[in-house]
Amino acid sequence: MAAREGEGLGGEHVAALGAPALAAGGDAAEAAAAAIAGAAQHEAGEPEGGGEAQPESAAAEQKSPLVMALLHMKWASFLQKAGQHAKAAEHFAQASACRPSARAYFGRGTCLAALRRRVEAEEALREALRMSPKMAGAHVNLASVLMALGRFDESAEHCRQALEIEPGSREAVMNLANVLRNLGNRAEAVDVVWRHITAEAAEAAEATDVPGGGD
């Protein structure tokens, strides 16, 4: 199962256990593109609020790796949301070639996973984690790929790492429960899901318990 950009599993309920779940990539790609945009504007001497580049810097700006990475990231994000994962993966790769980033590798790995090109997806996601070890989404998606490849112990480890970084990750919980079921640990799988459900319920109750909110 893919997340928002891989046909939207990020919003599925935790109880809907089945195929591997992928963490969303499009919003992260847009955030990375925005960050690259700011750096590109700074490099080109352009105010970050917008404004037109000076004519004398236009040629240099067009050749800037930062600007090219920005363009590829933005286009990749658009294509990913449109479900054109193969083309999006190409643009994520070109973004990495212009300016390597964990977000670009994460986006490429997510798209390749959606295309079931799992060996390539694993390589891209591992590179994303090499550059940014605390990227929970990359751990989630690598766990999904490893589960699909039948490497359940490795998958479980990345699920647990994702939950250490982001305890409320539904995709990590879904994947971990599925891995545990595949390993024959059904009781532990049920416990993982139940603990997540009760934690979410407690958070929801706390959020609605506003001081002075009674009649």
Side-chain angles (χ1 to χ4, degrees), residues 35-110:
I36 293 172
Q41 288 173 335
H42 177 75
E43 182 177 271
E46 177 185 341
E48 290 192 14
E52 296 181 0
Q54 296 299 318
E56 59 269 20
S57 67
E61 184 176 351
Q62 288 177 0
K63 296 178 182 179
S64 168
L66 286 170
V67 174
M68 295 306 298
L70 162 67
L71 294 174
H72 284 300
M73 288 290 286
K74 279 189 169 290
W75 192 235
S77 177
F78 173 80
L79 291 167
Q80 190 178 23
K81 287 185 174 182
Q84 298 186 42
H85 303 295
K87 291 182 180 179
E90 292 176 7
H91 281 282
F92 279 124
Q94 290 181 62
S96 293
C98 294
R99 184 178 177 83
S101 71
R103 292 297 183 186
Y105 282 109
F106 170 69
R108 176 170 169 77
T110 300

Side-chain angles (χ1 to χ4, degrees), residues 2-172:
R4 239 176 304 171
E5 286 65 10
E7 296 307 339
L9 302 189
E12 298 250 356
H13 297 294
V14 174
L17 301 178
L22 296 180
D27 290 344
E30 287 186 350
I36 293 172
Q41 288 173 335
H42 177 75
E43 182 177 271
E46 177 185 341
E48 290 192 14
E52 296 181 0
Q54 296 299 318
E56 59 269 20
S57 67
E61 184 176 351
Q62 288 177 0
K63 296 178 182 179
S64 168
L66 286 170
V67 174
M68 295 306 298
L70 162 67
L71 294 174
H72 284 300
M73 288 290 286
K74 279 189 169 290
W75 192 235
S77 177
F78 173 80
L79 291 167
Q80 190 178 23
K81 287 185 174 182
Q84 298 186 42
H85 303 295
K87 291 182 180 179
E90 292 176 7
H91 281 282
F92 279 124
Q94 290 181 62
S96 293
C98 294
R99 184 178 177 83
S101 71
R103 292 297 183 186
Y105 282 109
F106 170 69
R108 176 170 169 77
T110 300
C111 289
L112 292 171
L115 293 167
R116 299 187 180 183
R117 290 163 56 181
R118 297 182 179 112
V119 173
E120 295 171 85
E122 179 185 355
E123 292 176 356
L125 292 167
R126 287 193 184 280
E127 182 61 20
L129 287 172
R130 186 191 68 79
M131 299 182 74
S132 182
K134 297 296 185 182
M135 185 183 289
H139 281 292
V140 169
N141 290 3
L142 180 55
S144 174
V145 169
L146 293 170
M147 177 163 43
L149 292 171
R151 291 154 61 183
F152 301 123
D153 289 328
E154 291 179 73
S155 178
E157 176 59 28
H158 283 285
C159 289
R160 291 190 170 98
Q161 289 186 56
L163 288 169
E164 286 181 9
I165 299 165
E166 192 176 308
S169 171
R170 292 188 177 188
E171 293 86 359

